[in-house]
Amino acid sequence: MNKNVNTEFSFTINSVKFNEDYRPSDNTRITTNFANLARGERRKENLRDALSMINNRFNALASWDNLSGDRYSVELEIISVDIDVEGNGNTFPTIEILQTNIIDTETGKRTQGIVGNNFSSYVRDYDFSVRLSNHNRGQSSFSVPNDFGDLHGKLFKYFVNSDAYKAHFSKLPVICLSVSDNKTYRRTENQHPVLGFEYQPNESSLTEQYFKKMGLNVRYFMPPNSAAPFAFYFFGDLLNDYTNLELISTIATMETFQKIYRPEIYNANAQAGLYYKPNLKNSDHSLTRIVYDREERSHLAVEQGKFVEENFLKPYQHKLEQFTASYAR
């Protein structure tokens, strides 16, 4: 804990299994990938098909000593983190992440995979969907506030360094996101057996800068037989701090979500080449059988941003400002 902080926050961590019986809780951001899949008439089929895609992709990547291609299965837990700002038991839902668990059906061994993967945050909704929009309203050119992402980044680092995090998770998180459609990526000669070829963007993105304030570095890799690179955000050493099976659990999980959510990029019929510019209008792609409401997702992000403003940022403004000014880890 940082000695300069005179505001002590505490966290409550809850988990729920992400399986075909999953139903989002009242506190879940319904724009989250897994929550979006778990609604509507086809909710059970959606969930079953998504989990099947994850398992199939995992076994395809973990092909050694796996002749029948069904040795492993992945179990997912949705991790919900609530913050208590004043120490009075009143909490606010802060972030949701995913925990992968790897089941070796041959040995019966169950091992913890990677925590992070998908990343959902109410404060991020506010920053991108409310604050950034308000800041640029009526302006002739786009700009970003100097302190953009400061509170969110420090809250995330505070959580990762908390006793609550260390009691639940043995390794630091890895978050896997899609590439930006306004950047161009160049393939390098660096190739990892699981992560695949590394790519480098032509310039930094706002998302990179935002996650940098969370303490996270980023590298871009395109795993074998993927259609496009992924952005892997991490602390430490991505290639050496995690086992191949841990990395595969993240790839299989997040590639499945991206094939559903961004099929124009991740379910494209042509693979990214030496130079790659993502195109969300690419018509040469395949659709999964899984129903996903993208239009609703964008609309709700604004509503959720306003929700955090009214129920978290304004009520705790003084304490949050004090925390942002004093936390320097």
Side-chain angles (χ1 to χ4, degrees):
M1 201 66 62
N2 191 302
K3 294 180 180 178
N4 294 327
V5 178
N6 51 22
T7 304
E8 292 290 334
F9 300 154
S10 61
F11 298 97
T12 303
I13 299 176
N14 296 298
S15 68
V16 60
K17 290 186 181 298
F18 179 71
N19 53 30
E20 63 181 56
D21 297 317
Y22 164 71
R23 292 184 182 276
S25 72
D26 292 338
N27 286 337
T28 295
R29 289 169 67 257
I30 51 178
T31 57
T32 305
N33 288 332
F34 39 80
N36 194 300
L37 298 180
R39 294 185 296 144
E41 295 180 0
R42 279 187 47 86
R43 59 169 301 279
K44 203 149 194 170
E45 291 86 350
N46 277 348
L47 295 168
R48 189 181 298 130
D49 290 347
L51 292 167
S52 178
M53 288 173 65
I54 291 170
N55 285 333
N56 290 339
R57 182 60 168 139
F58 188 102
N59 282 287
L61 286 169
S63 58
W64 60 93
D65 291 338
N66 189 7
L67 293 178
S68 59
D70 59 0
R71 176 171 177 170
Y72 300 99
S73 64
V74 179
E75 290 184 358
L76 299 174
E77 294 175 80
I78 300 168
I79 308 296
S80 302
V81 182
D82 297 338
I83 188 170
D84 183 343
V85 173
E86 297 183 330
N88 57 9
N90 294 326
T91 62
F92 183 84
T94 312
I95 63 173
E96 279 189 328
I97 47 182
L98 279 178
Q99 168 74 61
T100 62
N101 297 287
I102 303 158
I103 314 301
D104 186 336
T105 61
E106 188 172 295
T107 65
K109 184 179 180 181
R110 185 178 191 272
T111 56
Q112 192 177 87
I114 285 178
V115 65
N117 301 289
N118 192 86
F119 179 76
S120 302
S121 163
Y122 272 116
V123 177
R124 185 174 65 161
D125 279 342
Y126 166 77
D127 281 342
F128 279 92
S129 298
V130 177
R131 188 179 183 205
L132 202 57
S133 176
N134 290 342
H135 177 77
N136 283 284
R137 185 171 292 118
Q139 301 300 313
S140 58
S141 60
F142 178 83
S143 66
V144 178
N146 290 333
D147 62 346
F148 186 70
D150 284 3
L151 171 63
H152 182 269
K154 291 184 176 185
L155 284 173
F156 183 77
K157 287 189 284 187
Y158 190 91
F159 167 60
V160 170
N161 285 290
S162 70
D163 292 338
Y165 183 91
K166 293 170 185 175
H168 281 80
F169 311 110
S170 59
K171 293 188 178 182
L172 292 169
V174 175
I175 297 165
C176 181
L177 303 181
S178 65
V179 285
S180 172
D181 63 334
N182 59 6
K183 302 289 182 289
T184 300
Y185 300 83
R186 179 182 62 82
R187 189 174 69 207
T188 72
E189 295 301 314
N190 190 35
Q191 184 178 16
H192 184 273
V194 165
L195 291 169
F197 277 106
E198 184 165 16
Y199 277 72
Q200 291 183 344
N202 63 324
E203 59 182 337
S204 177
S205 68
L206 181 57
T207 299
E208 284 184 18
Q209 296 161 26
Y210 193 81
F211 275 70
K212 187 75 173 177
K213 291 191 174 183
M214 296 163 62
L216 294 162
N217 297 310
V218 64
R219 294 178 73 171
Y220 297 88
F221 286 92
M222 187 169 79
N225 297 316
S226 292
F230 294 85
F232 293 89
Y233 288 88
F234 60 94
F235 297 96
D237 187 340
L238 177 66
L239 274 59
N240 292 300
D241 290 347
Y242 305 91
T243 68
N244 283 344
L245 290 182
E246 287 171 344
L247 293 172
I248 289 172
S249 71
T250 286
I251 295 167
T253 300
M254 297 314 299
E255 183 173 280
T256 294
F257 284 136
Q258 295 296 356
K259 280 185 174 181
I260 297 165
Y261 176 48
R262 281 196 166 89
E264 300 90 344
I265 296 175
Y266 290 101
N267 217 24
N269 296 325
Q271 192 178 62
L274 181 61
Y275 289 91
Y276 177 65
K277 184 170 178 28
N279 180 11
L280 286 171
K281 296 181 179 179
N282 171 36
S283 61
D284 186 22
H285 67 272
S286 301
L287 296 175
T288 67
R289 298 172 56 235
I290 299 168
V291 178
Y292 193 101
D293 192 332
R294 285 202 286 188
E295 183 177 342
E296 181 188 52
R297 185 180 192 273
S298 300
H299 171 70
L300 288 171
V302 177
E303 292 184 11
Q304 290 170 172
K306 292 178 180 177
F307 170 80
V308 72
E309 183 178 26
E310 294 300 320
N311 294 278
F312 182 65
L313 298 176
K314 286 183 177 178
Y316 301 118
Q317 181 178 355
H318 176 69
K319 286 220 168 194
L320 294 174
E321 287 176 350
Q322 184 182 41
F323 165 75
T324 304
S326 61
Y327 187 70
R329 185 156 188 162

